[in-house]
Amino acid sequence: MYDAQPAHKFTFGLWTVGNVGRDPFGEPVRKPLSPPEIVHLLAEVGAWGVNFHDNDLIPIDATPSERDSIIKAFRGALAETGLVVPMATTNLFSHPAFKDGAFTSNDPAVRAYALQKTMAAMDLGAEFGATTYVFWGGREGSESDAAKNPLEGLKWFREALNFLCEYSLAQGYNYRFALEAKPNEPRGDIFLPTTGAMLGFIETLDHSDMVGVNPEVAHETMAGLNFAHAVAQALDAGKLFHIDLNDQASGRYDQDFRFAAHNYKQNFFLVKLLEDVGYDGPRHFDAHAYRSEDLQGVKDFARGCIRSYLILAEKARRFNADAEIQGLLAELKTVEPAVAALAGSYSAERVAALKAHQFDRDALGARGLGYEKLDQLTFELLMGVR
Ligand code: XYL
């Protein structure tokens, strides 16, 4: 019942199950796995695809012959397992050259190097058939506004994306770009900190039709926002090109926990939203195992991400089929047809009808909405007592 099907398109990054558990205070706790080992691990846990940053696959200092043999081995593992590569991205944050950002660095040489590195990474992704290209501007921001003009930062970021859209078109790549927002960490403040900010920015791009968003549970939660609402806005705009599933407690460091490890209820409403609209893009887990785990724990983590999603999807089906819950929801929308017809799009008739109607605002205000019961029923359904 909770087995992944190809239609779910569950994917993981090489950097997720490959995470060695280094943190700002401690050394790695797990041995690095090679990309083919990761592909086999992902196949074992039921994933459909694998994504990568350029340097997850090819180290930044690899020679051309090392590059060739890595690509050959990775291709072999994909062929053996049937895993696909739907998304690729660029590491524009690890190397010291990017300490002040990449596309928004004050240094024109760094901005130019970032373009060069991204073009090469787009070539690499296209070699493996990736059709989504993610942009997470990990260090596109500042600690002090004395050092950077945010207007210049936005201008340079726009220039870079316009350039890379043209490059994608000129190469005949089939990429859709997905911009990923994060409010802070590793910079004090990252530009365009939320999915809503990205959606506004996209409309200023030359090829806005090619560009959407890659919202991440942890990032919106770090900003103190409701993730499902951010995803709904992206869906409403036709811009949900990709999604990063994980979990996060608000007010903490960037935790990237196993999907639904922390906030079952918020993630239930997220899964319900994705399932209700028939989202058919990849369901990507951008998360990693606790630092306490060994290789077995990493597999438990990856299986847990998939299983939790499927359990919440099943709960969403039950929510939709629950007569009492649906009855309460239907009641909320039940009014006399003549009154219901007053709300809607603009028309001269509706203006006239609205102006003539007498609302009983005290009665409207006195009506109990039953949300306590609805929320308790949701809790009971999620806890398995319903
Ligand atoms: C880290 C980010 C990245 C992006 C890809 O917080 O989520 O892993 O998803 O660069």
Side-chain angles (χ1 to χ4, degrees):
M1 181 170 183
Y2 302 125
D3 291 333
Q5 305 300 322
H8 294 121
K9 298 184 181 163
F10 289 124
T11 64
F12 289 81
L14 282 180
W15 69 96
T16 63
V17 288
N19 181 289
V20 291
R22 181 186 289 112
D23 73 14
F25 303 95
E27 298 302 322
V29 294
R30 293 183 284 269
K31 287 200 178 58
L33 299 171
S34 70
E37 284 172 327
I38 294 175
V39 169
H40 283 282
L41 186 157
L42 290 178
E44 188 184 327
V45 301
W48 167 80
V50 58
N51 305 317
F52 54 77
H53 299 85
D54 48 355
N55 304 136
D56 300 333
L57 186 61
I58 317 281
I60 196 163
D61 52 0
T63 63
S65 74
E66 282 165 351
R67 183 186 194 276
D68 290 348
S69 60
I70 291 169
I71 286 183
K72 197 166 163 228
F74 188 59
R75 218 180 264 298
L78 294 174
E80 279 155 25
T81 56
L83 258 69
V84 295
V85 176
M87 178 274 259
T89 183
T90 330
N91 184 327
L92 294 173
F93 41 87
S94 291
H95 193 277
F98 300 122
K99 62 182 179 238
D100 191 30
F103 302 135
T104 68
S105 165
N106 272 323
D107 184 341
V110 174
R111 297 203 300 274
Y113 174 50
L115 280 180
Q116 183 201 57
K117 191 171 193 290
T118 304
M119 286 191 291
M122 286 169 65
D123 298 344
L124 180 68
E127 265 191 66
F128 287 97
T131 52
T132 302
Y133 203 86
V134 163
F135 289 83
W136 173 59
R139 295 192 191 271
E140 312 290 16
S142 64
E143 282 70 43
S144 166
D145 286 344
K148 266 194 171 177
N149 176 344
L151 276 175
E152 274 187 330
L154 292 171
K155 179 176 147 279
W156 289 331
F157 193 39
R158 177 181 305 113
E159 261 172 22
L161 288 170
N162 286 342
F163 183 108
L164 294 164
C165 281
E166 294 290 353
Y167 179 71
S168 181
L169 292 168
Q171 298 301 306
Y173 295 154
N174 202 12
Y175 280 128
R176 296 203 303 171
F177 289 3
L179 309 187
E180 178 178 336
K182 186 176 180 180
N184 56 268
E185 199 182 337
R187 295 312 295 268
D189 293 288
I190 299 179
F191 296 141
L192 299 165
T194 63
T195 296
M198 285 297 184
L199 287 167
F201 179 71
I202 287 168
E203 296 309 314
T204 73
L205 300 175
D206 289 350
H207 293 282
S208 55
D209 53 313
M210 284 174 65
V211 188
V213 289
N214 176 39
E216 172 168 325
V217 178
H219 297 177
E220 229 69 26
T221 306
M222 287 168 76
L225 301 177
N226 180 316
F227 185 65
H229 291 192
V231 172
Q233 192 189 350
L235 283 166
D236 182 63
K239 293 291 190 188
L240 188 69
F241 287 6
H242 201 259
I243 190 163
D244 275 2
L245 303 171
N246 56 17
D247 212 355
Q248 171 77 31
S250 202
R252 306 278 167 89
Y253 64 96
D254 180 15
Q255 295 173 308
D256 284 343
F257 283 160
R258 186 182 77 255
F259 181 61
H262 182 73
N263 197 338
Y264 316 146
K265 188 170 157 187
Q266 173 75 66
N267 283 306
F268 163 70
F269 288 114
L270 168 66
V271 172
K272 179 167 152 25
L273 177 65
L274 294 175
E275 296 300 305
D276 285 352
V277 300
Y279 170 74
D280 66 356
R283 290 166 173 78
H284 173 65
F285 297 109
D286 185 4
H288 52 75
Y290 301 142
R291 195 164 178 270
S292 52
E293 301 310 290
D294 61 6
L295 184 60
Q296 180 55 45
V298 171
K299 292 182 190 176
D300 293 339
F301 147 83
R303 285 200 176 93
C305 285
I306 291 176
R307 197 171 155 80
S308 296
Y309 186 98
L310 294 170
I311 291 170
L312 292 177
E314 170 59 18
K315 294 289 183 191
R317 278 188 286 280
R318 289 195 200 183
F319 184 99
N320 291 342
D322 188 299
E324 193 175 3
I325 290 174
Q326 293 308 316
L328 284 169
L329 286 171
E331 228 171 85
L332 285 167
K333 295 174 185 159
T334 312
V335 287
E336 286 166 45
V339 178
L342 291 170
S345 56
Y346 184 87
S347 70
E349 295 71 40
R350 188 162 282 129
V351 170
L354 275 170
K355 287 194 170 175
H357 190 78
Q358 287 291 328
F359 287 97
D360 182 349
R361 63 176 169 267
D362 289 335
L364 291 176
R367 184 179 180 194
L369 300 182
Y371 291 175
E372 286 290 354
K373 189 163 184 189
L374 201 47
D375 191 68
Q376 179 68 23
L377 292 176
T378 305
F379 173 77
E380 296 191 6
L381 188 141
L382 288 179
M383 291 300 114
V385 297
R386 189 172 175 78

